[in-house]
Amino acid sequence: MGPLTDSSSDGTAYGRREFLVVKIPVVENVDDRWHQREERIDEALRARGLGSVLGWGDSLGEPTSRGRRRVAFTRVDIDISDIAAGRSLLQSALAAIGVPPGTEIHYSIGRVRYADIYAPPEWLLERPQD
């Protein structure tokens, strides 16, 4: 039996081999408690047939002097069919959604890891990651 594929246009084909992560910094006094950004990202990806949001979650930052850690960013895991097209779409969609400066799109090309970093009004592209 060959690899699973799906010719549907809803962006959920199981044959995908690419993965992106969007890291959105948490900004004080900006509330997205219903996680509408993730929904809008998913809608944009599906509309273009490029993929879908697999899930999301909050990640903690460094400990404070009291040893407590606050939520530093929201991570959005994305299943994508084309890294270049996905990056381009996400750069436009994330700016339109109004994500804060410092939002990052993480991806790999070959075995090298990169991030595109939002520095309004533009994106700093293909920054190597350790």
Side-chain angles (χ1 to χ4, degrees), residues 18-20 83 87 106-115:
E18 305 293 339
F19 183 74
L20 292 173
I83 292 289
R87 287 174 52 215
H106 288 258
Y107 55 95
S108 295
I109 298 175
R111 293 187 178 194
V112 181
R113 298 182 332 172
Y114 297 96

Side-chain angles (χ1 to χ4, degrees), residues 58-95:
D58 293 333
S59 294
L60 299 176
E62 296 298 319
T64 65
S65 60
R66 294 182 174 190
R68 294 185 183 194
R69 296 170 62 191
R70 69 171 188 79
V71 174
F73 62 88
T74 299
R75 174 188 166 116
V76 183
D77 297 337
I78 297 171
D79 177 38
I80 198 86
S81 62
D82 181 309
I83 292 289
R87 287 174 52 215
S88 179
L89 172 72
L90 287 169
Q91 289 162 9
S92 297
L94 292 168

Side-chain angles (χ1 to χ4, degrees), residues 45-61:
L45 291 165
R46 288 175 185 271
R48 292 274 299 272
L50 288 173
S52 62
V53 169
L54 294 171
W56 55 266
D58 293 333
S59 294
L60 299 176

